[in-house]
Amino acid sequence: MMAVRHAAHQPLPVLINRQGGSAAAAGATIKADVEAAFRDVGLSAEVELVDGAAISAALERLHARTIVIGGGDGTLGAAASVLIAARRTTLGILPLGTHNHFARQLGIPADLPGAVRMLKQGRRRRVDVGMVNGHVFLNNASIGFYPSLVRSREHEQYRRGLPKWTANMPAAWAALRRLRHHRLRVEIGGAEHWVRTPLLFVGNNLYSLDGGRIGEREALDRGELSLFAVAGRSRLGALWFGLRLLAGRADLEADFAVAQTCRALTVHAHSPQIHVALDGEVQCLKSPLRFEIRPGALEVIADAKS
């Protein structure tokens, strides 16, 4: 890790997804709030509010040693794709989305003043990223139930005007009612696994299944993917599995058709295209899906202890 040094006279470029959870809730004051938080720690910021879909294009015209992105996991994933190509640019993070899993994993405070202090006091470190068919994911990619839930949630948000958190409940119920199993051929290191699964999950490094630590990772720099293909089951069985998983009582042998770590894998689907959730953003990708880990591909500013 390297200590962060910013030139006091040079403003840090800050791009904020105005449609992100916290940023959208703050409304018109978010730009002034961010500028004030930077001043409070002796830094200056050149803040620009953009729509989520415009983050990549906005990044491509910036050239700086450090660029700060304000948004959630999907926004950070889109930014990472551009910054990885830039190679010498470090990603600073303001967790202004809804879930902010990646920022939390890096030990970045959830509050704006704390996150800005981290930009000044944190350390530069390199972390792995996952790739599938050329697309970046910082947390995970999944097929099946979760992409269906996300699409249902977006429908509920549009139809009823619900915030993301509130829309999750009716969306989860709708996705469970439509639960279907995908027949997939998974290739890992020359071995083939034929699976029938309602959910195939690929994580950037190893995700914990222990009680109280579901969704957490011990490291982001071990150069591995974690694969979990949930065993086929009925709707009631899927609900019972979900409850046991949340309680940390999942059984690796009984609950998963495949559960292992690897550096790369290929997933073949019967359909020529398949919906995949990448850090909570659903995309339609062509089969086969070729997953790989890119060790140390992204430099970030993080808590020195993360």
Side-chain angles (χ1 to χ4, degrees):
M1 292 189 184
M2 297 190 308
V4 178
R5 291 184 175 84
H6 303 301
H9 63 282
Q10 187 172 358
L12 279 171
V14 180
L15 293 178
I16 295 177
N17 176 2
R18 72 172 98 232
Q19 299 164 315
S22 299
T29 68
I30 187 62
K31 185 175 186 291
D33 292 343
V34 170
E35 291 170 338
F38 272 77
R39 286 195 300 271
D40 288 344
V41 299
L43 297 174
S44 61
E46 192 170 304
V47 181
E48 182 179 355
L49 305 182
V50 299
D51 291 340
I55 286 287
S56 295
L59 269 173
E60 287 173 351
R61 56 180 166 73
L62 294 177
H63 302 281
R65 177 68 178 90
T66 300
I67 298 177
V68 180
I69 302 296
D73 294 313
T75 301
L76 295 177
S81 298
V82 179
L83 297 184
I84 289 169
R87 294 180 181 274
R88 291 186 56 80
T89 302
T90 302
L91 172 64
I93 297 171
L94 298 180
L96 297 176
T98 302
H99 299 297
N100 304 306
H101 294 299
F102 188 61
R104 188 164 61 248
Q105 185 76 53
L106 292 170
I108 297 171
D111 64 293
L112 179 59
V116 173
R117 282 195 301 273
M118 181 65 67
L119 293 174
K120 184 173 184 178
Q121 301 171 358
R123 294 290 184 269
R124 299 183 195 274
R125 59 167 292 195
R126 289 206 160 268
V127 297
D128 306 337
V129 301
M131 302 283 293
V132 54
N133 290 12
H135 297 270
V136 166
F137 58 95
L138 300 176
N139 298 316
N140 55 70
S142 60
I143 299 166
F145 176 78
Y146 188 67
S148 177
L149 184 152
V150 172
R151 295 172 71 196
S152 295
R153 183 179 66 201
E154 291 173 348
H155 175 72
E156 292 293 331
Q157 289 180 273
Y158 176 79
R159 186 168 68 93
R160 301 186 186 184
L162 298 175
K164 184 180 290 187
W165 279 104
T166 307
N168 271 329
M169 289 302 294
W173 178 245
L176 186 62
R177 284 191 289 110
R178 294 196 305 268
L179 185 70
R180 56 171 293 216
H181 290 72
H182 293 263
R183 295 184 181 276
L184 306 170
R185 177 164 59 91
V186 182
E187 298 177 358
I188 308 173
E192 288 188 344
H193 306 267
W194 292 85
V195 298
R196 178 176 176 272
T197 179
L199 173 66
L200 184 138
F201 175 101
V202 180
N204 171 10
N205 282 270
L206 180 60
Y207 273 73
S208 172
L209 297 180
D210 297 334
R213 299 189 63 247
I214 298 296
E216 294 183 10
R217 291 164 280 179
E218 289 186 2
L220 286 173
D221 55 5
R222 292 185 180 171
E224 62 185 9
L225 298 170
S226 53
L227 167 66
F228 298 96
V230 177
R233 58 194 69 238
S234 65
R235 290 183 180 84
L236 183 60
L239 179 60
W240 176 235
F241 162 73
L243 294 173
R244 287 189 295 104
L245 178 66
L246 292 174
R249 299 183 62 184
D251 185 319
L252 280 176
E253 293 189 4
D255 288 325
F256 299 97
V258 183
Q260 67 180 84
T261 59
C262 58
R263 291 182 63 87
L265 66 134
T266 301
V267 177
H268 299 263
H270 284 293
S271 302
Q273 294 184 317
I274 188 166
H275 286 103
V276 182
L278 303 173
D279 294 332
E281 303 291 330
V282 178
Q283 298 198 36
C284 190
L285 302 182
K286 291 183 178 180
S287 176
L289 303 174
R290 305 188 189 280
F291 292 88
E292 63 175 320
I293 193 75
R294 292 277 303 277
L298 178 66
E299 187 172 73
V300 297
I301 298 176
D303 186 347
K305 299 177 182 178
S306 67

